[in-house]
Amino acid sequence: MAAEAVLDTHVVREAEGGRIPGNKGMWVGITCEFVEFAVLFIVYFVARANFPDAFQNGAERLSRVSGTVITLLMVTSSFFIACSVNTMRAGKRRQSIYWLVAGLIVALGYPVAKYLEISSNRAQGINGEEGLLFNHLVHATWGILGILWVLVRHSFGGYSVEDHHGLEALASYWHATDIIWLVIFPMFYVLA
Amino acid sequence: MSTSHKTPTTSLVPLTLCWLGLCILTLLSLGLGQWFHAAAWLPLLVAVIVWFKGTMVARYFIESDLTHPFIRRVLKGFIAFAPLWLILTGFYGGQFAQWGSLFLKH
């Protein structure tokens, strides 16, 4: 009953102009994040147009396995967190917490994979001063800290079927960070 | 006033299918990069795959079809931004470099 009531509320919000997943503040942050990365992408593409050989040779030295593993980790953790939101909507609080824990564990694989990649690069003499990739790691770290915070709140009953905007806000941020990685992945690991 | 009856889903099936699709496309784009790394059309295909993957995340994970029009536009714009640049620099990289050097000279 409660889940149906919440879904009806969502229909009303949609009729008023559309839903805001999570809250407005989070979407201001996500929009700023998109603008920041859009500027970095422009810098990347201008540099690539001017020095195509350097980019081609550099990309060939990066580990495609690392890039693929990070992509699969990002996509999978995003999927688990989306499942956490949907199960919460259905009123299955315990399942929602389990999905969130799974999302956190998989998300933690990203910094680990990145650390291994950087260590491997340094062993080959690549100094790893790549701002775009590090910047994404910083954003992902904020996301992981956010998952931890939401998990603590969720474990102590902070969310309900009627009000789980905090969980949805975190999910939106993590999905946006996932979208950014999906753009970065081919730029460094596919187009060698 | 038009009233839509779309509601946020509680089903995990669309999410699972989306996740499977994203994993397959990731492995496919990696394979394409290795098999056809010298092909002139590779940036175009990679750009299409990037756009498609971003759209899948927005549509199924964020449920962008149900969101406020501003959020929908922001997502659409950002997801199309990098693929467009990929295509432009992939096919017209030389001209971009020339324009860039003109700005630098002045």
Side-chain angles (χ1 to χ4, degrees):
Chain A
M1 278 297 280
E4 285 168 12
V6 171
L7 293 180
D8 284 347
T9 310
H10 286 307
V11 173
V12 173
R13 285 170 70 185
E14 188 189 0
E16 288 168 353
R19 293 185 68 235
I20 295 172
N23 53 57
K24 283 181 186 173
M26 181 53 77
W27 279 98
V28 170
I30 290 170
T31 305
C32 292
E33 188 186 23
F34 281 164
V35 171
E36 177 190 350
F37 275 93
V39 171
L40 290 172
F41 290 163
I42 290 171
V43 172
Y44 167 91
F45 284 115
V46 169
R48 190 181 179 107
N50 280 280
F51 308 101
D53 294 338
F55 274 79
Q56 191 144 357
N57 297 334
E60 279 170 3
R61 294 171 70 191
L62 290 176
S63 165
R64 285 197 172 97
V65 174
S66 297
T68 308
V69 166
I70 291 170
T71 308
L72 294 176
L73 287 169
M74 284 299 296
V75 163
T76 305
S77 64
S78 220
F79 164 60
F80 287 163
I81 290 172
C83 288
S84 178
V85 172
N86 281 20
T87 46
M88 189 67 239
R89 273 182 200 151
K92 298 169 185 169
R93 187 177 153 267
R94 191 172 288 273
Q95 273 189 35
S96 173
I97 292 172
Y98 291 153
W99 281 116
L100 194 60
V101 170
L104 174 65
I105 291 167
V106 176
L108 285 170
Y110 174 24
V112 173
K114 184 50 77 181
Y115 173 76
L116 294 173
E117 184 189 9
I118 291 167
S119 302
S120 165
N121 285 346
R122 287 199 171 147
Q124 294 176 61
I126 304 169
N127 64 13
E129 289 174 4
E130 177 45 66
L132 196 51
L133 295 174
F134 274 111
N135 197 26
H136 187 270
L137 181 62
V138 169
H139 282 261
T141 305
W142 303 139
I144 289 167
L145 292 172
I147 298 171
L148 272 168
W149 170 248
V150 168
L151 182 60
V152 169
R153 284 206 67 202
H154 209 346
S155 303
F156 285 96
Y159 303 116
S160 62
V161 180
E162 293 80 15
D163 182 5
H164 52 274
H165 298 308
L167 176 62
E168 260 202 316
L170 164 82
S172 299
Y173 177 80
W174 195 249
H175 299 323
T177 309
D178 185 23
I179 288 173
I180 293 166
W181 179 263
L182 292 178
V183 174
I184 291 173
F185 169 62
M187 285 159 53
F188 287 91
Y189 300 97
V190 176
L191 291 172
Chain B
M1 188 180 78
S2 67
T3 310
S4 170
H5 294 286
K6 282 183 185 172
T7 54
T9 181
T10 56
S11 170
L12 302 187
V13 176
L15 299 178
T16 309
L17 293 175
C18 175
W19 171 71
L20 278 173
L22 289 167
C23 292
I24 291 167
L25 284 172
T26 298
L27 297 174
L28 180 70
S29 60
L30 189 74
L32 287 169
Q34 283 198 314
W35 300 324
F36 307 106
H37 61 93
W41 47 263
L42 186 63
L44 179 65
L45 190 61
V46 168
V48 171
I49 291 175
V50 169
W51 175 82
F52 194 65
K53 283 164 79 177
T55 303
M56 282 172 78
V57 172
R59 184 164 182 179
Y60 293 101
F61 289 177
I62 302 177
E63 297 172 322
S64 60
D65 287 355
L66 306 178
T67 59
H68 190 277
F70 176 78
I71 293 173
R72 221 176 302 152
R73 282 187 213 117
V74 165
L75 286 167
K76 278 185 181 173
F78 184 77
I79 290 165
F81 183 78
L84 280 173
W85 274 88
L86 265 177
I87 293 168
L88 288 172
T89 49
F91 292 97
Y92 306 103
Q95 279 104 313
F96 272 109
Q98 278 182 345
W99 295 340
S101 61
L102 283 175
F103 284 118
L104 288 174
K105 278 173 189 170
H106 291 287

